[in-house]
Each structure stands twice: as C-alpha cells, then as structure tokens.
DNA sequence: CATGTATATGCGTATAGATGTATATATTGG
DNA sequence: CCAATATATACATCTATACGCATATACATG
C-alpha cells in the first residue's frame, strides 16, 4: 500500500472536496463556492486528488467536471479489509484472544 | 470524517509501522530494528498513531507493547463503504449511469 | 479577432512536519 | 541507592506543503 491516497485525504480542504463530490460531478467553481479558499488552491487540491487516483476530470466546454473514481475507494476498502480478515482469523483460532482487542470487562 | 487518521497513515514510516504490527504486539525496539530511522523517531510516530486511535499501548516491564486498534479500521471501512453504497444506489436507479464510473467502451 | 469566463500554474511566503542528537523519565536487577 | 535498559521528549534544522496573488492557457461568443 502506498501512502499517496492517505496523503491526498489527509488535508482538510481536500477531504471536504471529496465529501462534496459524493453527489456527482462538479465544476471547479462549484467547489470554490462551497469552500473558503481561493480558486487556485482548489485547482491544486484537485490535481493532487487526481494524481492519487481519487478523482477524474472530464472537459465540458470551458469547464472541467471532476468526479470521484470508485476504484480508489475499492483499493482503500480492500486494504482495510486485509486487517479485518487478519483479526477475524486470529479470533477464530483463539477465543481468549478477545482480550487483545477489547477493553477489559469489569 | 476527520483527517486525523489519514494524516497518521500518510507518512511512509508510519504506514510501515502499521504494516509491521499486523502480526500483533511489538515493543518499540522491535520496530526500531525493522526501520531505518532513529528510536526517537519511532516513538514520535507511535505517539501520532496513538493519538489517531490507530494503536494502543500496554506497559510490560520496562517496555511498551504497541498493537493495532481494530476500531480505527472499522471506522475507516465504514467511511469507505459509505461511498460504495452511494454508488451502488445510483447504479440501481440508473443502469446507464455506468458511464459515470467506467472508462468508455470502444 | 476581441472580450469574457473558467481553470491551471509560477512565484514568494508562512507554517507544519520529519529527523537526529542529546537528555529526561521510567523500570529492573544488584 | 546505583547502573543498565527501554522509551519519551525538548531542541534545532531541514524539507515539504498550503496559501494567495498574479498571470498564463483554454474555450466560447459576438
């Protein structure tokens, strides 16, 4: 796993952009209006998100429509699930190992 | 969703530490031996990972045993799945909307 | 072609973050 | 209590990066 996707999502402004794009395609100016940073900053953030594979761009006249790339989220989900599967396997083999992951019961 | 967990995983050294801890608890020096950074750096990285809720610490004599916290991965997985569910809902409603997420077929 | 609109980028600056060194704080054993 | 071991932290430094401003580029329209 590369850190690039985490780095891209680690900036508050970029995460806000990603959350805003849940609803579909957005032009750059649409995003600028929802944020409190300059248009140049939004463009730079979008470039970083694109380089990380999180967004894609489609030209539409003089505008550029950005949208999320599900593949990026698939990769992230697969990575996270690798850890879950690991723990589940351990729990299957050692019931008592629950103590490893839960707070002690009073 | 807060950026803290992404920020914690965005550093290559910290991600290596997390990956190394897949196999269970590790003392600080165990991790230092596997990395090419100084012990002070490892301690700092572990603090950041702990503050992000990714690792927990358990004293064992003069050593501190660190391990991963599955809850952090659960939260991350839930966040990612929020996006997947969103797209799946859209795909259910609009079959043609496949174009939104896949490269155009030749 | 000229003008307006939308987006990207070079530049300077300010701030955050990663690192090593040295030192402080536990904890153990004698 | 003293020495050794394990870990954390203060400090200085170096690098990365986020930001706004100004400007460049691309497209549309008259």
């Amino acid at each position: 796993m590369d850190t690039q996707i985490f780095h891209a999502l680690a900036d508050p402004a970029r995460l806000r952009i990603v959350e805003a794009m849940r609803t579909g395609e957005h032009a750059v100016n649409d995003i600028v209006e929802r944020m409190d940073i300059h248009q140049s900053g939004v463009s730079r953030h979008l470039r970083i998100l694109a380089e990380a594979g999180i967004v894609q761009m489609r030209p539409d006249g003089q505008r550029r429509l950005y949208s999320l790339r599900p593949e990026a989220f698939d990769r992230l989900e697969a990575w996270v699930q690798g850890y879950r599967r690991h723990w589940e396997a351990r729990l299957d083999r050692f019931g008592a190992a629950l103590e490893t992951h839960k707070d002690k019961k009073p």
Side-chain angles (χ1 to χ4, degrees), chain A:
Chain A
M1 186 64 166
D2 190 54
T3 56
Q4 193 177 20
I5 189 169
F6 294 122
H7 173 260
L9 297 171
D11 182 84
R14 283 196 292 271
L15 189 60
R16 278 190 61 196
I17 291 174
V18 170
E19 305 271 23
M21 290 204 299
R22 267 176 178 269
T23 54
E25 284 184 322
H26 286 281
V28 178
N29 262 340
D30 292 351
I31 300 168
V32 172
E33 287 167 9
R34 300 172 188 230
M35 313 261 309
D36 49 355
I37 64 178
H38 194 269
Q39 171 264 322
S40 65
V42 172
S43 281
R44 271 191 303 263
H45 285 311
L46 285 168
R47 180 157 58 88
I48 291 170
L49 290 169
E51 285 169 358
I54 297 172
V55 303
Q56 60 194 152
M57 187 268 286
R58 174 172 81 87
D60 173 46
Q62 41 194 339
R63 299 184 304 168
R64 311 283 180 106
L65 299 181
Y66 284 85
S67 55
L68 299 178
R69 289 175 53 95
E71 303 83 4
F73 294 82
D74 291 344
R75 282 194 296 274
L76 189 52
E77 187 177 6
W79 180 79
V80 177
Q81 285 178 345
Y83 284 82
R84 175 190 286 287
R85 278 197 300 276
H86 194 72
W87 288 312
E88 283 171 353
R90 289 172 58 112
L91 290 176
D92 284 348
R93 285 181 295 169
F94 316 102
L98 281 167
E99 294 306 316
T100 310
H101 313 124
K102 295 193 174 182
D103 292 342
K104 40 185 167 283
K105 290 181 182 177

